[in-house]
Structures are given as C-alpha cells and as structure tokens.
Amino acid sequence: MSLAARVTTLIVAVLAVVGGVIFVVAHYLLGGPPTVDFAAATSGQVNVTMQTDASSDPATVPDHPTWVSYFIKSPASGSWVHTTLFQVPAHTRVNVTILGYDGSTPVRNQVWGQVSGTTGGVADYGGKPVKTVNGWNGPYLIQHTFAIPSLNLSVPVEAGPATCTTGPCTNNQHSTTTFSFMTPAQPGAYRWQCFVPCGLSYLDGNGGPMQTFGYMTGNMQVVS
Amino acid sequence: MPAADGTVADGAGRPEPNHGLRIFLLWLPVALVADLLIWFVWGPHLPPGAMSTSAATQQSAIKIMSVMAAPVMALVLVYGAYALVVWRHREGDDEDGPPIHGNTRVSVTWIGVTSVIVLSLAVFGTVELAGPAGAGAGEGNTPIWRPSGGTPLQVQVIGQQWRWTYRYPQFGGFETTSLMLPVGENVQFNITSLDVIHSFWAYQLGVKADANPDINNVAYTKPEHTGQVQVRCAELCGLWHADMTTVGQVVSLSAFNAWTATARTQLAALTKELPPYTLTYDPNAVAQLGKVFQKAGLSGAGGGFYGSQYPVQP
Ligand SMILES: [Cu+2]
Ligand SMILES: [Cu+2]
C-alpha cells in the first residue's frame, strides 16, 4: 500500500473513532427528555401540573406513541411537555395537580393504595381528601401512582372518567388528583416512578414505559 | 548440574546451598507477620462487621480463611522473589537447567498440604453455615438450619420494582416501607418478590438471600447490636435497581414493641385492604389486574399489547 493510502486510512480510522465517541457523549448529554424548570418559587411554593395519558399523539411523541405516559405543563409557556424531568427549589412546598386521562390499572401491591409523605397525609380526589384507596376494588379506581421513594412520598392517582389516547389532552374528561409535599433541603436528583405495573405487554407489566424517562419514571431535580 | 559423583554443584563447582531451608527461613517471618496483622489489625474491620450473629460468623470465617491463605500466598511470593534473584540468568551462562523428572517428597508434601487445607475448609465452611442457623443465607422454603429456642420474629420481605416492603405477620400483618428489628431476638426473614428476581441484602446483618416471585426464601439472623442496617438489592432488576434501598434500624425490644404498636394502629386502614398474609403472592393473581391484562388481550403480563414493533420482553 502506498504511503498516501496508509496515511489516509489512518486519518479516516481516527476520525471514525473520535466521531463515534463524540456521538455517544453528545447523545448521553443532549439526548433524553427536557427538564421543566419550576425553580422560581413564589412565596416558598411552586405549582406543578401533570397529566397521564393512555397513549399519545405520534406527532408529539414520535418515539413510543402507544406507551402510557406522563406530561408536565411548562410554567413558562403553559404548554404540555413530554417529559418526566422537572426542577424545583429545595425546602419548598410543591403543590401537585395530576390530570388523569387514563383508565384504571390496579396496583399489584395494595400498599401503594395508601397516600404517604404528603402535607397532611392526604391527597385530594376532585377536592375530596383520601388517605387510603383500595387500588383493586374502589370506590375510587386508580390508574398510576406518583412516588418519590427516598422522600417516602407515594400517591395513587385517580383513574379518569374516559381514556384519552392522543396525549397531551386538553378536554375536561379527566380526574383531578392534588397533593402537596415539601422538597428536601439537600439538592440533587430524586427519582420518581409509578408503582402500578402499567407497562402492559412487558415482563410483569414493568418494562417499556415503566423503565423509560419521559413516560412513567423520571427525576425531580432539587436545586438550592 | 549433577556432577559425575552425584553431588550437586553450580557452574563454578561450588556445592549447591540448601535452597529449601533458605526459602523456608525467608518465608516464616513473612507468613507470621502477615497472619498477625490479619488477625489483630485487619480482622476486626473485615466485612460485614459483627452487628448480628450471622455477620459475626461471616467475619470470623473470612479472618480464618485469610489467615490460612496468607502463608500460601507468602510462599508463592517468597519463592518467586528467591527464584528471580538466586536463579537469574548470569552473563556467559547459556546452559540449560537439569532435566528433573519427579520428586516424590515435594509431590507428597504438596498434595498432602493442599488436600488438608481444602478438605478442612470444606468441613469448616459447612459447620459455619449450620452454626448460626444458615449464616444469614437464604435456605429456601424448607430451611434445615433453624435457630434454637422459641418462635423467631417473622418479617416478610417483599421485593418489587423498585422498592422493598416489609410485612409483620405476628403483629396483625401490617405492611410498611420501614424495616425495624429488635436487638437480641431471633429473626426469620421470609423473602419473596412480586415481579422479577431481586436479592435482599441487609449488609450489616450479614443477610443476603434471593427474592424470587412465587418463592418463599427463608433466612435467619439475630441482631446483637443496635444501629442502622443498609439494605440493598443485590440482583440487577431494572432501571432503578441501584436505588432499591432501605435504611433499617435495630432497636431495643421496648422501642420495637412501641413501634409495632404505633404502626399497627396507624396502618390499620391499609392493613384491612391488604390480601391475607401468605408466604408468596402470585404476580398475576390480583384478580382485577388479571382482568385488565385480559381486556388488553394479554395472558398474564405478556403479549403484543403495543403492536408487533415491540417484542415481548423476554
Ligand atoms: Cu403507571
Ligand atoms: Cu431489585
């Protein structure tokens, strides 16, 4: 092989490896859903609004439109963002509203039918306080849970009156679950997840959306 | 090389020194110092500590095995160093080593000593398992090594993606995310899972046992000191496997009794909704959950619910 050919081969090989590394690092850093920022607290409180949907509009969620999913409402633009990552200030009261646009899937472990870690130990279903919900039988039916295990926060989310399959949805056929909790003083990422095995068709209902950021699990980033 | 008269001499004609004795004399102080350091300095800090009977026997077993292993390792290292220095290649010496075939004394010593070490460790290991009721390992549904004296405190450990919950059947069957244990009492963990395979690892207690769906895996221990217990999952179980932790507490018997009394009252409404206490919970036996899967056209939790672009996992 001529010297020129060997040098060219070497340069191409080096560029390929460097390009591959840059691609992987950039994918890791830039990939994944965006973070909705609630860091600007007014009088020590922030209001976080989310919704759950049975499936999504493929134009909004091209990756897995058929999966169950959470959406978070951006406080800046008021639009729904397909993500499960949000940022809140430390030591702040977070008032959460979850609009339920999904039908009922019972919990596997009824222990998650109990509300824990919220202000007052309750969640409100359409304004009515509930402490323990039978996640199997009713009278309230539940669809997903919102839980931050390290804060011992666990809230069953009431099932909606109808199933909306084109998330994010804006009609009024939804349930409304509200609760408040205090963010910890320690900044950092606090994982949250749903404890209903709602990843239907995956092993024990726990794969797919249950293990993917942007759908049924994410991080609450606490900043000081 | 052997001379004509059978005496061993080196290339310069000097008689060969007694290498075996020299290696032994070099090895002896190294092995002795290593063993003393392991036993008295390192030993008390070896994992997993001595918070429970099972942890303490694991620590002493690691100490004893280290004390037996250190002289063997010292011999290998001393022999290697000795060979490098004494039998190194010297300028102008291109001669091959003598062709040696067999040495009965070395073979017998080697096989004898290693057999004694390995077989005695096998006996020792078995006795160590039996002694503190299974040494904190999972013994399956029908444990053969049980603690003596009285009914132990039963704690059901339920693994699920991705959190541990604990059920106390002797106190009305309440279920909680807290792990609380009394000091000085025998504990029987009944470990199971609601989905995939997890592993209950209570580090300071020296307890590690698989949590399998549909299986009741029993492990015993007896906490000897109060303090914190770090529980982790030791079986890769999905996205939040590394975050599947509990900080448990070993407290005095009176504090434990106060805690169970409070928990029992506070969790009464939830306990009413729980299924009756059983040793296992079929992941798909929740009737209502089964109905949802059925409605979706799934048997159990498998099937092509989301369409053929999503292969069923696994
Ligand atoms: Cu869910
Ligand atoms: Cu696990």
Side-chain angles (χ1 to χ4, degrees), chain B residues 162 164 197-199 233 235 237 241 244:
Chain B
W162 294 273
W164 299 105
I197 300 169
H198 304 274
S199 175
C233 179
E235 184 74 56
C237 61
H241 157 71
M244 203 173 148

Side-chain angles (χ1 to χ4, degrees), chain A residues 134 152 191 200 202 206 217, chain B residues 161 163 240 243 273 313:
Chain A
N134 188 319
N152 214 27
R191 67 120 164 173
L200 299 184
Y202 288 87
N206 267 319
T217 185
Chain B
Q161 288 169 316
R163 208 166 179 192
W240 295 114
D243 206 22
E273 313 284 0
Q313 310 281 308

Side-chain angles (χ1 to χ4, degrees), chain B residues 7-194:
Chain B
T7 58
V8 182
D10 68 4
R14 285 190 300 267
E16 199 72 17
N18 188 338
H19 294 296
L21 182 66
R22 287 165 69 176
I23 290 170
F24 174 78
L25 290 175
L26 284 169
W27 164 80
L28 192 63
V30 175
L32 211 62
V33 168
D35 271 355
L36 288 172
L37 283 176
I38 287 169
W39 193 261
F40 291 106
V41 181
W42 196 13
H45 305 286
L46 281 170
M51 193 173 182
S52 70
T53 47
S54 28
T57 47
Q58 287 169 27
Q59 188 185 55
S60 72
I62 294 174
K63 256 167 83 170
I64 288 167
M65 287 194 283
S66 306
V67 158
M68 292 180 79
V72 176
M73 187 172 175
L75 182 62
V76 172
L77 293 177
V78 166
Y79 186 90
Y82 185 89
L84 277 176
V85 173
V86 176
W87 295 313
R88 71 182 184 277
H89 174 257
R90 288 185 170 79
E91 202 60 53
D93 179 10
D94 290 332
E95 202 178 353
D96 275 347
I100 297 167
H101 295 284
N103 183 322
T104 315
R105 210 174 62 177
V106 168
S107 302
V108 167
T109 311
W110 186 251
I111 292 168
V113 169
T114 49
S115 300
V116 167
I117 291 176
V118 169
L119 291 176
S120 57
L121 278 178
V123 174
F124 169 74
T126 313
V127 172
E128 286 286 288
L129 273 176
E139 297 187 59
N141 194 24
T142 48
I144 49 170
W145 292 306
R146 297 160 180 273
S148 51
T151 312
L153 167 73
Q154 285 170 35
V155 180
Q156 183 171 51
V157 178
I158 305 169
Q160 62 227 276
Q161 288 169 316
W162 294 273
R163 208 166 179 192
W164 299 105
T165 53
Y166 307 91
R167 218 172 163 183
Y168 289 78
Q170 292 148 322
F171 297 87
F174 69 81
E175 185 175 341
T176 165
T177 51
S178 311
L179 174 63
M180 200 69 81
L181 300 170
V183 71
E185 304 286 321
N186 283 314
V187 178
Q188 172 183 324
F189 290 114
N190 290 80
I191 300 147
T192 190
S193 164
L194 295 183

Side-chain angles (χ1 to χ4, degrees), chain A residues 60-138:
Chain A
T60 321
V61 185
D63 285 352
H64 305 286
T66 55
W67 284 3
V68 280
S69 189
Y70 268 93
F71 286 82
I72 302 177
K73 195 175 199 168
S74 160
S77 67
S79 58
W80 291 100
V81 185
H82 183 243
T83 186
T84 50
L85 308 179
F86 63 101
Q87 183 161 296
V88 288
H91 220 80
T92 299
R93 183 184 161 117
V94 180
N95 305 313
V96 183
T97 303
I98 300 176
L99 311 179
Y101 283 102
D102 197 5
S104 167
T105 307
V107 285
R108 175 166 289 136
N109 188 350
Q110 169 55 31
V111 85
W112 311 124
Q114 179 180 255
V115 179
S116 80
T118 62
T119 309
V122 293
D124 284 0
Y125 280 7
K128 283 188 289 293
V130 292
K131 263 190 155 94
T132 302
V133 185
N134 188 319
W136 297 345
N137 273 332

